[in-house]
Amino acid sequence: MIMEFISIQQAMDKGEGEVSLRGWVNRERGSNKLKFIVLRDSTNTIQCVISRADVGDDKFAEADKLQVEASLEIHGEIKKDERAPTGYELHVKDLNVVGLSDSFPIQPGQSREFMDDNRHLLLRSSKMVAMLKIRSTIFGAIHNYFRAEGFFEYQSPIFQSMQCEGGSTLFECNYYGKPVYLAQTWQLYAEPAIFALEKIYTVAPSFRAEKSKTSRHLTEYWHAEMEAAWIEFTKLQDYSEGLLKAVVKEVLDKNLTDLKILERDIEKLKPTLEKPFPRMTYSDALKILNEKAGMNVEWGKDLRTIEEDKLSELYDTPVIVTDYPKKVKAFYMKEVADNPDVVQGFDVIAPEHYGEIVGASQREDDLEKLKQRLLDQGENLDEYEFYFDTRKYGSVPHGGFGLGVERVIAWVCGLDNIKDAIPFPRTMLRWKP
Ligand code: 4AD
Ligand code: MG
């Protein structure tokens, strides 16, 4: 093969002449004289026609052995062809089999369980490829957004000696005979760094030993978090809205083909770009749920999935719910000045039943209140000494949020289950492959 390899997409953009491609067999069929192969690479697929008359008996015999997912190099002439699945056909002049394939286990119609057991092979399917490309765009968009807004990227440890989001979802590890926990959040290690960098963000794995087997919970997920000194509560909400708009915009700019493969109705994503997100207090949300959906939630109870879902049905953009009851939220959320039963925190609820995608708050700066709330949860204050220092040496108003990246991917892609928003999902019941 004489020519330099190009991608299938580049070959189709070229549209005519001789090209060399390499990839995997997506489909194959044929007769004794003619073989049709749909070749796949990371960019696209193309139908290739191999005729015994053109390539000779030996090469044709090689081509005849090809099963789905075999890898090969192929050389031929590309031509426009309306009848071909992607509009072009390659007339093969030479081919070189690189890796034969056994009978490929992934077939349409197999069970969820089987697909999850064969995740390493399922990655090659068109829907997974489309999701993975969108996932890549979303990670990039998060970095682009925060950097453009003047945030520094900053990293926190994954091994941590204390909880932040509640002791019941901690994963304990044996650290040379002592207990440590996998990070639930970067937060307690991010707050000390705002005194150095002021505006910081990260995208990193977080771990939650969730006891729930829902379509929204992973035990290991990617968490995009920001923390900023001097920030005010409305500005914090603006950042969460700005980030979500930037993410959706970049996906709509770059991944229309992938969204189509996933059969995503993009009209459902456009309002997020075009409209401001409704912002309401928790108390307003209860009123709206009561008036518009006949749901009665007792003040003080956290919003459950069914209430979040109902709320999401009333809007076509994400909704920001602020000022939750203190008793349902984490210890670090700042009390509202004239109403200590309520905290300056918010959740962003995604449209279309995708649930809470962002959790946020202003941080409590009153050291005694922080300590009391930790004691109320039964925590050992010794573990938090370093954190208390953030309130002792030039404390400033500050706040931050965390965005569940797979929840956002699931929403943007329109997936039924969060497991399909990550290559190798980890849940209560799944930790391999
Ligand atoms: O609301 P959470 O627990 O907030 C925090 O961890 C804060 N410390 C963040 C911060 O202020 N820096 O988690 C934040 C987000 C949730 O809104 C949700 O989108 C996602 O993380 N999340 C999960 N995603 C997938 N699987 C799980 N088990 C998740 N738990 C939380
Ligand atoms: Mg939360």
Side-chain angles (χ1 to χ4, degrees):
M1 250 164 265
I2 14 148
M3 290 169 72
E4 211 182 295
F5 292 103
I6 59 175
S7 72
I8 293 174
Q9 189 58 53
Q10 284 170 326
M12 297 201 303
D13 292 344
K14 189 168 174 250
E16 55 177 28
E18 295 206 357
V19 294
S20 293
L21 305 175
R22 54 190 164 190
W24 294 265
V25 175
N26 195 226
R27 284 196 294 277
E28 53 83 24
R29 68 189 160 86
S31 66
N32 182 21
K33 292 199 180 92
L34 265 189
K35 193 161 171 78
F36 292 91
I37 284 176
V38 176
L39 188 75
R40 169 183 68 78
D41 72 6
S42 63
T43 65
N44 213 325
T45 60
I46 187 170
Q47 176 162 293
C48 306
V49 190
I50 305 166
S51 88
R52 188 187 287 276
D54 289 345
V55 298
D57 287 342
D58 289 353
K59 288 282 174 185
F60 194 81
E62 266 188 60
D64 219 21
K65 282 193 229 131
L66 293 173
Q67 297 204 70
V68 166
E69 290 305 321
S71 53
L72 69 157
E73 298 170 338
I74 216 162
H75 178 83
E77 189 167 352
I78 188 167
K79 284 192 187 131
K80 235 188 158 71
D81 187 331
E82 307 284 289
R83 295 159 307 169
T86 51
Y88 288 88
E89 199 168 70
L90 188 82
H91 293 262
V92 177
K93 298 193 162 166
D94 193 9
L95 69 113
N96 179 25
V97 177
V98 177
L100 288 172
S101 177
D102 288 352
S103 174
F104 199 61
I106 303 281
Q107 307 278 346
Q110 274 151 337
S111 71
R112 171 91 231 183
E113 193 67 12
F114 184 86
M115 298 279 196
D116 285 352
D117 284 340
N118 287 281
R119 202 73 183 181
H120 54 295
L121 300 176
L122 188 69
L123 293 183
R124 307 179 189 197
S125 70
S126 59
K127 288 202 169 167
M128 281 296 277
V129 169
M131 181 284 288
L132 289 170
K133 287 180 180 172
I134 293 170
R135 184 177 164 96
S136 171
T137 298
I138 289 178
F139 274 74
I142 294 168
H143 287 281
N144 293 342
Y145 177 78
F146 281 122
R147 284 166 181 264
E149 292 288 333
F151 284 74
F152 292 102
E153 185 175 358
Y154 167 82
Q155 291 82 22
S156 59
I158 296 293
F159 287 134
Q160 301 183 359
S161 58
M162 70 292 138
Q163 66 84 40
C164 181
E165 300 298 333
S168 65
T169 62
L170 283 175
F171 274 112
E172 188 175 315
C173 313
N174 176 342
Y175 198 78
Y176 305 104
K178 298 207 174 57
V180 298
Y181 311 101
L182 297 181
Q184 295 171 310
T185 167
W186 82 331
Q187 188 183 322
L188 302 190
Y189 295 89
E191 289 184 54
I194 57 143
F195 299 87
L197 297 171
E198 296 189 47
K199 290 164 71 176
I200 53 176
Y201 82 97
T202 202
V203 190
S206 276
F207 303 87
R208 306 276 170 108
E210 303 282 2
K211 311 243 167 7
S212 38
K213 297 166 219 160
T214 77
S215 58
R216 293 177 187 177
H217 289 92
L218 294 167
T219 52
E220 174 180 328
Y221 71 98
W222 284 77
H223 204 170
E225 299 187 83
M226 59 74 70
E227 194 75 27
W230 313 108
I231 196 163
E232 283 166 357
F233 194 43
T234 47
K235 183 67 187 171
L236 193 59
Q237 295 168 56
D238 294 344
Y239 277 130
S240 72
E241 180 167 347
L243 175 61
L244 287 164
K245 284 184 152 71
V247 162
V248 171
K249 177 164 193 319
E250 217 166 305
V251 172
L252 288 176
D253 285 348
K254 293 186 174 157
N255 297 94
L256 285 181
T257 312
D258 303 306
L259 290 165
K260 198 161 176 199
I261 290 169
L262 292 167
E263 297 166 56
R264 181 61 164 134
D265 179 359
I266 61 166
E267 294 308 316
K268 297 220 164 110
L269 295 173
K270 288 181 180 165
T272 292
L273 293 188
E274 292 154 4
K275 296 185 189 172
F277 299 176
R279 298 181 184 193
M280 64 186 71
T281 64
Y282 163 88
S283 297
D284 291 339
L286 295 197
K287 221 177 284 165
I288 290 167
L289 284 170
N290 180 268
E291 284 165 11
K292 300 208 173 147
M295 282 178 144
N296 281 313
V297 182
E298 190 188 325
W299 198 97
K301 291 254 156 63
D302 203 359
L303 296 182
R304 295 170 302 169
T305 303
I306 59 163
E307 284 113 25
E308 286 179 353
D309 285 355
K310 196 37 96 178
L311 201 59
S312 85
E313 286 171 18
L314 301 173
Y315 305 93
D316 55 4
T317 69
V319 184
I320 299 179
V321 182
T322 65
D323 297 67
Y324 279 80
K326 182 168 70 185
K327 62 182 176 194
V328 303
K329 289 294 185 189
F331 75 94
Y332 51 74
M333 293 197 185
K334 188 176 169 60
E335 281 178 10
V336 170
D338 53 5
N339 187 359
D341 291 336
V342 168
V343 285
Q344 274 196 330
F346 68 87
D347 284 356
V348 181
I349 316 292
E352 302 173 70
H353 295 192
Y354 284 95
E356 178 198 328
I357 45 177
V358 173
S361 84
Q362 293 293 104
R363 313 309 188 191
E364 183 57 76
D365 33 35
D366 183 321
L367 190 49
E368 292 317 309
K369 284 183 180 159
L370 273 179
K371 287 183 176 169
Q372 193 52 53
R373 288 177 70 189
L374 282 167
L375 285 174
D376 292 346
Q377 287 183 19
E379 291 298 321
N380 171 8
L381 297 189
D382 293 347
E383 294 298 342
Y384 298 83
E385 277 306 328
F386 82 97
Y387 178 66
F388 298 148
D389 279 353
T390 56
R391 310 305 199 256
K392 287 185 194 160
Y393 304 102
S395 184
V396 290
H398 65 287
F401 66 70
L403 171 149
V405 182
E406 283 77 16
R407 290 207 185 158
V408 171
I409 294 168
W411 161 52
V412 170
C413 294
L415 307 175
D416 292 338
N417 196 309
I418 196 169
K419 287 201 280 187
D420 293 325
I422 188 165
F424 291 96
R426 298 291 181 250
T427 67
M428 201 176 165
L429 301 175
R430 163 89 37 204
W431 55 91
K432 57 187 180 186

